[in-house]
Amino acid sequence: NKTKFVEKYFKKKYLDQKVVLIACHAFSDASNGLGTSLIFNDYYQWLNETLKFINKTHNEKVLFILKNHPSSRFNDLLIIKKLLKKYNNESLILCPKKINTNNLIKICDNVITARGTIGMEFAINGKFPIICGSATYSGIGIALECNSKKKYFNLINRLDRLPKMSDN
């Protein structure tokens, strides 16, 4: 459960904090393929700028778990680890290997993804995903969609105050 996870993996143990998953994409995927939009140039820029912003604003009411994409190559994990080391933030951790997506949906309050299908999985479980590109589930009201970096970073800045998804 969320409490046991926070106690075990985070150094700061404020149990009233929100826990947010950052679901990474495979860096080699085409980020602007098939005419779809993304507010960043590619998935690496999205992740790097997101971590940089989180580190700069340092909202102590939110903890972050980074998970690499299941189909990503080994180099992606090295890049993610290098970024985590660069920002050296106790509120950011790499997802332990033994924690699967179903566990993360139970543990986390929200997910941040550029446009991954994990956003739909969170929405099905009543938890808002934050996306910054077009997704198969865009435009139907189940995601907090950002069409600009300003809106995206504003949402990240307010993660501790995001509304809960209604049952409707």
Side-chain angles (χ1 to χ4, degrees):
N1 70 26
K2 180 179 174 178
T3 301
K4 287 181 182 177
F5 184 89
V6 170
E7 287 175 347
K8 183 171 183 174
Y9 293 106
F10 285 97
K11 291 179 183 176
K12 291 186 176 182
K13 295 175 175 46
Y14 305 112
L15 300 179
D16 62 335
Q17 289 173 305
K18 276 201 165 186
V19 178
V20 176
L21 174 65
I22 300 175
C24 300
H25 294 262
F27 295 131
S28 60
D29 280 354
S31 56
N32 291 300
L34 303 172
T36 58
S37 64
L38 182 67
I39 61 173
F40 295 92
N41 291 331
D42 55 42
Y43 296 129
Y44 175 81
Q45 182 191 30
W46 161 74
L47 181 60
N48 187 40
E49 287 191 32
T50 299
L51 295 179
K52 183 178 180 180
F53 182 82
I54 289 167
N55 198 58
K56 182 178 80 173
T57 56
H58 199 66
N59 184 344
E60 291 192 3
K61 296 179 181 179
V62 184
L63 301 171
F64 297 91
I65 304 168
L66 271 79
K67 176 131 176 77
N68 62 313
H69 192 278
S71 70
S72 66
R73 300 182 190 256
F74 182 71
N75 287 344
D76 286 8
L77 187 56
L78 293 176
I79 292 167
I80 293 167
K81 286 179 178 180
K82 186 175 179 180
L83 285 172
L84 279 173
K85 188 175 181 180
K86 173 182 174 182
Y87 293 112
N88 191 26
N89 185 328
E90 290 182 350
S91 298
L92 291 163
I93 65 163
L94 186 63
C95 184
K97 288 181 184 179
K98 62 185 174 183
I99 306 296
N100 64 34
T101 301
N102 290 330
N103 293 332
L104 289 167
I105 291 170
K106 291 175 188 170
I107 294 165
C108 297
D109 298 290
N110 298 93
V111 63
I112 298 171
T113 179
R115 60 160 151 248
T117 55
I118 195 165
M120 191 178 338
E121 294 176 66
F122 267 74
I124 288 168
N125 285 278
K127 299 176 180 189
F128 272 121
I130 295 173
I131 61 172
C132 57
S134 56
T136 56
Y137 51 91
S138 291
I140 59 173
I142 64 168
L144 301 174
E145 301 182 41
C146 305
N147 56 7
S148 71
K149 288 184 183 183
K150 181 178 179 179
K151 184 175 180 181
Y152 175 71
F153 291 124
N154 185 37
L155 274 175
I156 291 174
N157 201 36
R158 297 182 306 115
L159 282 170
D160 59 312
R161 300 180 308 273
L162 289 182
K164 298 240 183 228
M165 185 179 274
S166 75
D167 291 340
N168 292 337

